[in-house]
Amino acid sequence: MQLAAIIVSLVLIVVGVALFGRAVLQIVNYMRLGQPVPAGTRTDDPAARTVTVVREFLGHTRMNRWGIVGVAHWFVAVGFFSLLLTIVNAVGQLFEADWILPVIGDWAPYNVFVEFIGTMTVLGILVLIVIRQLSRPDKPGRKSRFAGSNFGQAYFVEAVILIVGVCIFMLHALEGALHHVDGYEASFFISYPVVSALGDLDVSTLQNLVYLFAGLKIATSFIWMITVALKTDMGVAWHRFLAFPNIWFKRDAKGGTALGALLPMTSGGKPIDFTDPGDDDTFGVSQVEQFSWKGLLDFSTCTECGRCQSQCPAWNTGKPLSPKLLIMSLRDHAHAKAPYLLAGGGKTMEGEEKASEEQLAGVPAAALAEAERPLIGTLEENGVIDPDVLWSCTTCGACVEQCPVDIEHVDHIVDMRRYQVMIESAFPSEAGTMLKNLEKKGNPWGLAKKQRLEWLKELDFEVPVVGKDIEDLTEVEYLYWVGCAGALEDRAKKTTKAFAELLHIAGVKFAIMGGDEKCTGDSARRLGNEPLFQELGMENVMSLNAAFGEEMDDDGKVTEESKKPKSAKKIVATCPHCLNTLGNEYPQLGGDYEVIHHTQLLQHLVDEGKLLPVTPVEGIITYHDPCYLGRHNKIYTPPREIIAAVPGVRNEEMHRHKERGFCCGAGGARMWMEERIGKRINNERVDEALSLNPDIVSTACPFCLVMLTDSVNGKKNDGKAKESIQVVDVAQLLLDSVKTPADPAGEPETESEPTPEPVK
């Protein structure tokens, strides 16, 4: 047995290490097929990046959100790397059964560590196996997050971990028996009962058991290594290696998710100048090799855990988009096409083959066939990604927020959309109307710009307008960016008027733009029309910079002499999409402003005592987190604190809230597209809200307000919702409480006394 174990183990070790080394080189070569990224964007602040990797791994900051799953996975992950010396120990035990590691082999702290982590690794993988069985994809509907994952590969990996963990435990116990441990001691604080039982066996039997378990441990470990080396697209195994570089190279060196701003369009690793694009610039992604190397690394890192899928609003309402399946499809396609690309293959923009027949002579037929598949195409076209998958995305960011290995799904989806919109002109027809309205009228509704100021006529106080009542914004503290919805959509205008009235009551000096401003371009950019976003954005940046008193040079850039610090350029917005674009994306265009959401300012005014909610608003309220306020900009507390300050209301959270909040269905330009597949996302969200039997559904976004109101009204008509239920913005709720009610004598409402001084 000893001789057989030695021979088999050594052969497997040599073959496994050689194949694994080759696989690592293959993966590196695959990654190099991707496009470069702008210099410094993925390698800045290496110290912070290293700290982020350590924090995310040792702290399991994403996984631990999932309770017992996170704890179990922590022990499995830590055990995999920290118990590597047990392989060395097992090799030594093949030659000498009672062999231990030099120096640390009989050191109690080391043995305690091995005993504890080894045992917890076994328990951890057993927990994960049970959870996987309880979440099998043969459940009805789409309930399992593992639907579409490779179950055979997962079973193989789980079996390997379980076998190796049991072998580590048994070898440690056999070590104690061979060394005649006859009493409890720290080194065997868990395994002593097994040590005691084994102590009754003779030495020859104990030695044979050591050879058996040592050989089994080594064989299992290196059969696993050989298997994954031969299958480099096995994400459930490779993620344990690739997760570290993928996290290190993430967008934000300090650990933030790849949400908020979209990345500028690049070609060959350089931003595209849309005023004078290069002849060889590529617009968006139409072939897998046009993704950046970070994108290809993302695809290979996917562990198929399905957390993104479980949170995706499109998947949860019967649409074809699963972020997990999309990434898996791109990974499988990239790996299958790689031999063709590594041989010099590839297509030009005109569809001509770059490589000669001689270069492609040795390429496998399967790789050549994969190269002919369109990246975006229907099932009949043998496409890798179906167009319905691409256009189902609301860019809500739930996938990015939940991914434990920091895959940047939204960036990749938008990159593919960009090619479809800009080159193929292939996108939902309704979105075309929105784009035309933006081009011609500067707003998605196509209304005249003079209508942007119509809401002012409904106020009984004056609001200064830049360029009309005041020359610039130096005379006020805030520019209130009303936005297209806030100025032009009837339901959103109620929020606009309520917020303006609250600022007036609190004595805050603010002003608005004069009506010449354009849409920020959020929907155009997320649809994929980057040039239109750039055009709208540049016009707005120039208008804003001028409004803040900054002078422009001949190139349209702010002169150094007139440049003001960011803190002097304060903007408040009621629309999270405007907030995100103004604050996170306009710096890409030369506009650097301090932008806050209206709920943040209102919370501050309440805390300062400048707004006093005194009138009770009776009933149950549930708050819906807008995706672009919550996940994209991490603003969760201010709306809830405002609600808490209003007397009378009782806040009930929906099951999916904050980081796990569920989209209203309007993001990613979906506001302007029909929802023809599956259940409407806004109906799914409202059904969740109605399960609490609320009197008020509140939110803090005009898009969400429209979507939720439409759904609630539909359910009222169908008799599924009580007639008294309201959908309101947090600002409207606060205004109702700040105002004092009319007295019985019929006196008109009066407002709480305004504070004479503005907010400091």
Side-chain angles (χ1 to χ4, degrees), residues 4 301 353 376 417 501 509 527 547 570 580 636 639 649 653:
T301 306
E353 183 60 65
I376 308 297
R417 283 183 169 189
E501 190 168 350
K509 291 184 178 180
L527 184 74
K570 295 182 180 180
N580 184 64
Y636 298 108
V649 296
E653 292 283 9

Side-chain angles (χ1 to χ4, degrees), residues 384-495:
V384 178
I385 305 297
D386 191 280
D388 285 333
V389 169
L390 202 60
W391 297 112
S392 294
C393 180
T394 66
T395 68
C396 71
C399 49
V400 180
E401 180 69 38
Q402 292 299 328
C403 181
V405 292
D406 284 297
I407 293 171
E408 300 168 0
H409 313 70
V410 172
D411 287 347
H412 307 317
I413 290 171
V414 172
D415 272 339
M416 289 185 282
R417 283 183 169 189
R418 284 165 168 168
Y419 178 82
Q420 293 298 299
V421 171
M422 296 173 60
I423 304 301
E424 297 291 337
S425 295
F427 51 89
S429 57
E430 316 91 60
T433 303
M434 178 268 293
L435 292 177
K436 289 178 183 176
N437 288 337
L438 288 177
E439 291 170 359
K440 295 179 179 179
K441 299 292 186 178
N443 67 78
W445 283 275
L447 299 175
K449 66 178 183 180
K450 65 180 181 181
Q451 292 185 244
R452 284 184 174 272
L453 301 180
E454 289 296 305
W455 64 275
L456 292 174
K457 298 176 181 177
E458 301 174 38
L459 301 179
D460 56 6
F461 56 90
E462 297 295 325
V463 175
V465 176
V466 178
K468 180 181 175 183
D469 303 308
I470 57 174
E471 184 177 345
D472 57 40
L473 293 163
T474 56
E475 302 175 35
V476 298
E477 189 172 5
Y478 289 98
L479 167 68
Y480 172 23
W481 182 273
V482 179
C484 301
L488 302 171
E489 207 284 327
D490 288 340
R491 286 161 287 191
K493 281 197 284 187
K494 295 178 181 178
T495 303

